[in-house]
Amino acid sequence: EIEVAIMKYNGRHTNRWSFKALHKCINSELSSDERDRFFSTTLPAMKQLVFRTQKFITKAVPLLLKQHEQSLTLSQVQVACLLANAFFCTFPRRNNTPKNTEYSRFPDINFNSLFGGSGAQVSRNIHKLKCILHYFRRVTESEPAGLVTFKRQMTIGDVGWTWSNTDLCDLHVSVEGRIEDDGQGMLQVDFANKFVGGGVLRHGLVQEEIRFLICPELILSRLFTEELDDNEALTITGVERFSNYTGYASSFQWAGDHVDTTPIDASCHRCTEVVAIDATRFRDHKYQFKITSMRREFIKAYTGFHHLGNNAALPAVATGNWGCGAFQGDPRLKALIQIIAASEARRDLVYFTFGDKQLAKDIYEIHRYLKNKQVKVGRLWQDLFSLEKTVKVPQSDVFSYIYKLHQTQDQYDGSTDDDPNDPDTVEAVAMATGSDTSTDYNANTP
């Protein structure tokens, strides 16, 4: 029934689109009761969402185009209507987007790629579909009443961080926890693709795709958000989480219903703010240590973290190893770049290392060392800039380089503010020389 309805609207793709994953999900993965409820209740309600679209969407949805700061606010019901259309693939102009056509720089939005697949991809798509179908069951059984705002923002010109006298932000580092679980009330970073959502409707199933699946309202950003430029970010406020999950990538599985208890503010937005910032994909690991690359990553992070208007008491940024998976980013360099960006944006930083104890310890200790030396944003930025000019430094160990750079400067100045018997000084020297005298970072993490 679903396949017939979808292909009636997309006849030209009859011999190209597969529904193998959708059939298996409904016929084999759902229990008898779940399948009966889907066909008797959820599916008819999803159709009604499509039919109600003209009632709730009375004019064309505006596009969030490159180099234009603009925002779009929709009710959760409007979002559900448009996502139901995406499920039934009723955006035919988005099925084929040749170069230089109107939508060639936009992500895909129709769900057809989720319905098929081959080999291991079928299993992935099944769990993606479980998230999507669960979302539709929830919003059709109990109509949500909140608002969701999508805001495209950009940074123009030089931020002026090279000579900045801004103090480094406060930092909390955590080995355990996840941004979506433990970052409530914070600005939560989506490790994005420049086409927001990345492979959520195709093969991808890592941090960004998982976030979009457990909060499917994020998927709608793909309908109207053009590819992000280097100085742009997308902030989404008010999204609700509907699903739990286990695993990651090939081990990802839908793990049941999630009741989102995040408070709703006076403007009817759930107090969840997600910012999509896309890191550079480095095919050569060394290229990220060039000044142009570091500057690009800083501007991207700063654009996402910066808040126009009153900057008093802004929420902290909840982030982690941004761009450090398939994009080959160096986690220690990315940590310092995000510390600099958060500092300039007047936000504190909460950093999740996703189980990497050594990385958590290293980040905490370099931050404490720099704070104790009262290093400012401008000085740290110049330290990073010098990486490109120093051929003797092993670029795989950014932190050791920073320690040595400051110790060399202290010796050059002929004096130092550090007491040689101070534990932090001993610890910094140990980090630079490879000695093991450091304390457990957990004991002093704020």
Side-chain angles (χ1 to χ4, degrees):
E1 181 182 357
I2 301 173
E3 180 177 349
V4 170
I6 291 173
M7 295 316 301
K8 185 177 293 186
Y9 206 74
N10 297 275
R12 60 185 297 185
H13 301 286
T14 299
N15 297 321
R16 295 166 54 191
W17 287 5
S18 166
F19 291 83
K20 182 177 181 179
L22 181 63
H23 289 312
K24 187 172 182 180
C25 177
I26 294 174
N27 296 325
S28 302
E29 297 293 326
L30 298 184
S31 68
S32 177
D33 289 343
E34 289 172 333
R35 189 161 52 251
D36 289 344
R37 181 166 59 181
F38 173 74
F39 283 114
S40 65
T41 305
T42 305
L43 183 58
M46 289 170 63
K47 293 179 182 178
Q48 286 303 311
L49 285 175
V50 175
F51 297 147
R52 295 165 67 193
T53 302
Q54 289 185 330
K55 174 183 176 182
F56 289 108
I57 310 291
T58 57
K59 58 183 179 181
V61 177
L63 302 177
L64 302 184
L65 300 173
K66 286 186 176 187
Q67 301 303 309
H68 288 81
E69 281 197 330
Q70 51 192 328
S71 63
L72 170 64
T73 298
L74 297 168
S75 71
Q76 287 185 278
V77 173
Q78 288 175 312
V79 172
C81 288
L82 292 169
L83 285 177
N85 277 272
F87 182 89
F88 289 107
C89 305
T90 65
F91 299 108
R93 294 170 66 189
R94 301 293 289 273
N95 288 332
N96 186 22
T97 53
K99 188 176 181 180
N100 298 324
T101 58
E102 182 180 5
Y103 295 107
S104 61
R105 306 314 300 172
F106 285 77
D108 51 357
I109 183 61
N110 289 324
F111 283 21
N112 56 285
S113 294
L114 282 184
F115 300 149
S118 59
Q121 187 57 37
V122 173
S123 177
R124 290 189 180 195
N125 283 355
I126 286 172
H127 285 281
K128 288 184 176 185
L129 285 168
K130 285 184 176 182
C131 292
I132 299 300
L133 296 180
H134 179 70
Y135 161 76
F136 282 119
R137 182 175 72 81
R138 282 276 307 276
V139 298
T140 55
E141 289 182 353
S142 179
E143 190 171 281
L147 298 177
V148 181
T149 294
F150 304 82
K151 181 182 179 183
R152 192 178 189 119
Q153 54 204 53
M154 62 181 182
T155 296
I156 300 176
D158 193 337
V159 178
W161 62 88
T162 306
W163 306 107
S164 172
N165 202 39
T166 301
D167 291 331
L168 296 183
C169 64
D170 287 337
L171 173 72
H172 175 85
V173 186
S174 180
V175 176
E176 305 298 333
R178 299 187 292 207
I179 293 171
E180 64 272 20
D181 292 332
D182 302 287
Q184 188 177 80
M186 305 176 199
L187 178 64
Q188 302 173 9
V189 177
D190 161 26
F191 304 162
N193 189 288
K194 63 182 179 179
F195 294 99
V196 290
V200 64
L201 300 181
R202 292 184 179 271
H203 301 294
L205 199 43
V206 287
Q207 195 259 9
E208 179 175 41
E209 290 85 0
I210 290 172
R211 189 61 194 269
F212 276 53
L213 290 167
I214 63 175
C215 304
E217 290 162 333
L218 292 169
I219 297 175
L220 190 66
S221 61
R222 297 169 64 85
L223 176 64
F224 42 73
T225 306
E226 192 174 12
E227 171 192 22
L228 296 176
D229 272 344
D230 287 346
N231 65 333
E232 294 183 309
L234 180 72
T235 301
I236 306 101
T237 306
V239 292
E240 183 174 353
R241 178 175 172 179
F242 293 88
S243 291
N244 291 317
Y245 73 95
T246 61
Y248 193 81
S250 60
S251 64
F252 173 85
Q253 291 188 355
W254 180 74
D257 183 46
H258 179 88
V259 178
D260 195 333
T261 59
T262 307
I264 297 174
D265 65 19
S267 69
C268 296
H269 288 82
R270 196 170 297 274
C271 297
T272 296
E273 189 173 22
V274 178
V275 61
I277 52 174
D278 56 299
T280 302
R281 183 189 294 271
F282 294 107
R283 303 193 184 282
D284 183 343
H285 180 79
K286 295 180 180 179
Y287 188 76
Q288 64 193 291
F289 298 96
K290 293 185 176 293
I291 292 174
T292 53
S293 298
M294 290 187 286
R295 181 185 287 115
R296 187 271 180 197
E297 299 299 81
F298 168 77
I299 291 175
K300 175 64 69 170
Y302 174 80
T303 302
F305 300 169
H306 180 58
H307 177 76
L308 294 175
N310 184 6
N311 286 348
L314 290 174
V317 176
T319 189
N321 301 329
W322 170 52
C324 297
F327 283 18
Q328 296 192 55
D330 183 286
R332 288 162 178 79
L333 177 62
K334 277 298 203 301
L336 292 176
I337 288 173
Q338 291 185 89
I339 288 171
I340 292 173
S343 301
E344 277 299 299
R346 306 302 193 271
R347 294 182 187 266
D348 292 332
L349 199 70
V350 176
Y351 198 104
F352 297 93
T353 64
F354 311 110
D356 191 331
K357 294 181 180 180
Q358 186 61 52
L359 178 63
K361 179 175 181 289
D362 291 349
I363 293 173
Y364 169 71
E365 290 177 342
I366 189 71
H367 176 265
R368 184 174 65 171
Y369 174 75
L370 295 170
K371 287 282 280 187
N372 286 344
K373 290 184 68 66
Q374 299 182 349
V375 172
K376 307 296 184 180
V377 162
R379 170 61 197 274
L380 181 56
W381 184 242
Q382 291 175 52
D383 291 345
L384 292 184
F385 262 28
S386 68
L387 275 169
E388 182 180 27
K389 303 173 184 177
T390 309
V391 296
K392 296 181 181 179
V393 176
Q395 293 177 335
S396 61
D397 194 356
V398 178
F399 290 175
S400 291
Y401 170 70
I402 297 295
Y403 286 125
K404 291 176 182 178
L405 194 66
H406 281 265
Q407 290 157 16
T408 301
Q409 184 64 48
D410 289 341
Q411 294 170 4
Y412 177 80
D413 291 341
S415 65
T416 177
D417 293 332
D418 292 328
D419 179 349
N421 295 315
D422 180 78
D424 290 327
T425 304
V426 174
E427 181 176 31
V429 174
M431 290 295 292
T433 61
S435 303
D436 185 14
T437 63
S438 58
T439 58
D440 182 359
Y441 84 97
N442 278 314
N444 298 303
T445 302

